[in-house]
Amino acid sequence: MSDAVLNVVIGLVTSVVSGGSVWVWKRVSTARILHRKQALLGLRPGVPCVIILNSHWQVPAVTEHSDVYAIIELAMLAEEAGCAFSLVAAEAPELNGDRAELSIGGLGSNRRNVEYVARHLPGVSVNQRGDFTVGGECFIHEQGRADHALVAKFTPPRHAQPVLVIMGQSAIANRAAVHLLKRDYKVLLKEIESPDRFCLMVRVDAADTYGYQAVEVATDLSAVAFQR
């Protein structure tokens, strides 16, 4: 991704978040709600986070519209949690260090996520089409009909803060996954075994007809994704 394009996207995200932060804070009704979102996403007040900006799998200098919307949503969640955030292009050779990391993008658009899955989720395999196989179960990509996204959170060795990986088979799947986390955070916290480490497969059906909001959890893969 070129510096010029990255700067444009950073400017867009920053302006939207700055304009919406007052709106967000006025609507956070209780500290409990905020704490639950923080627990799920791995965000802590005062701890900075980095949001990894992916690019179009065919056009490296471009980020798809649905991915931009997803990144804006993540940035607003970070702002809501009181975390200073920065945007970093996926191809940048950079460690998250003492920052929480929210990394979005699938095969061909975010090599960091590909590396994270290979290193830290040995029970997950991804083929060249972006189809996932986990624990013997296959999640086939049917563009616009059945789009999946792997949503995993873990803390890599020697890292102080967690990584949240959102690896969609399409841009609409990425946006749908972020929408699900924002919409269903209370339900998810009740259903997953631990908010510190989990792996979910989410699916959006008939996205060409119903859009990204028709998303649901397909299955919880936490028990097998981290096992060889």
Side-chain angles (χ1 to χ4, degrees):
M1 179 176 296
S2 68
D3 291 341
V5 174
L6 178 60
N7 288 335
V8 169
V9 176
I10 289 174
L12 172 63
V13 173
T14 302
S15 63
V16 171
V17 172
S18 298
S21 59
V22 174
W23 182 90
V24 169
W25 279 108
K26 286 182 178 179
R27 283 158 178 77
V28 176
S29 58
T30 66
R32 180 177 295 180
I33 291 176
L34 190 55
H35 179 72
R36 286 173 175 171
K37 290 183 180 179
Q38 293 167 354
L40 185 65
L41 297 172
L43 301 173
R44 297 180 182 177
V47 176
C49 77
V50 57
I51 299 172
I52 303 301
L53 182 67
N54 68 329
S55 58
H56 191 286
W57 66 280
Q58 288 181 313
V59 189
V62 174
T63 298
E64 292 196 50
H65 287 173
S66 288
D67 283 330
V68 172
Y69 282 116
I71 290 163
I72 289 173
E73 289 284 3
L74 289 175
M76 293 187 73
L77 287 168
E79 181 81 5
E80 181 184 72
C83 299
F85 68 88
S86 56
L87 297 178
V88 175
E91 61 267 27
E94 184 173 332
L95 292 173
N96 66 355
D98 60 353
R99 300 172 295 178
E101 181 174 331
L102 309 176
S103 186
I104 190 167
L107 198 67
S109 74
N110 186 338
R111 67 183 186 185
R112 291 173 73 93
N113 277 357
V114 175
E115 190 68 21
Y116 277 138
V117 169
R119 285 177 175 268
H120 304 291
L121 289 93
V124 177
S125 62
V126 191
N127 66 18
Q128 292 301 310
R129 295 183 63 255
D131 303 327
F132 295 103
T133 301
V134 190
E137 188 172 0
C138 296
F139 302 90
I140 306 299
H141 183 207
E142 299 178 66
Q143 180 73 40
R145 297 184 61 191
D147 295 82
H148 300 85
L150 186 81
V151 180
K153 180 186 170 187
F154 53 89
T155 302
R158 298 180 297 280
H159 285 238
Q161 302 298 329
V163 173
L164 179 69
V165 169
I166 299 173
M167 188 176 186
Q169 293 173 331
S170 62
I172 198 74
N174 291 330
R175 187 179 184 186
V178 175
H179 178 72
L180 179 85
L181 293 172
K182 183 177 178 181
R183 183 191 69 192
D184 295 343
Y185 66 93
K186 286 191 283 189
V187 175
L188 294 174
L189 283 171
K190 290 179 180 178
E191 293 184 347
I192 59 178
E193 184 175 342
S194 170
D196 295 326
R197 192 175 82 157
F198 60 83
C199 181
L200 306 173
M201 186 66 69
V202 307
R203 181 183 67 245
V204 54
D205 290 323
D208 285 348
T209 302
Y210 301 113
Y212 69 93
Q213 295 172 323
V215 61
E216 62 183 6
V217 175
T219 186
D220 186 342
L221 300 167
S222 305
V224 294
F226 297 100
Q227 304 298 321
R228 293 190 181 278

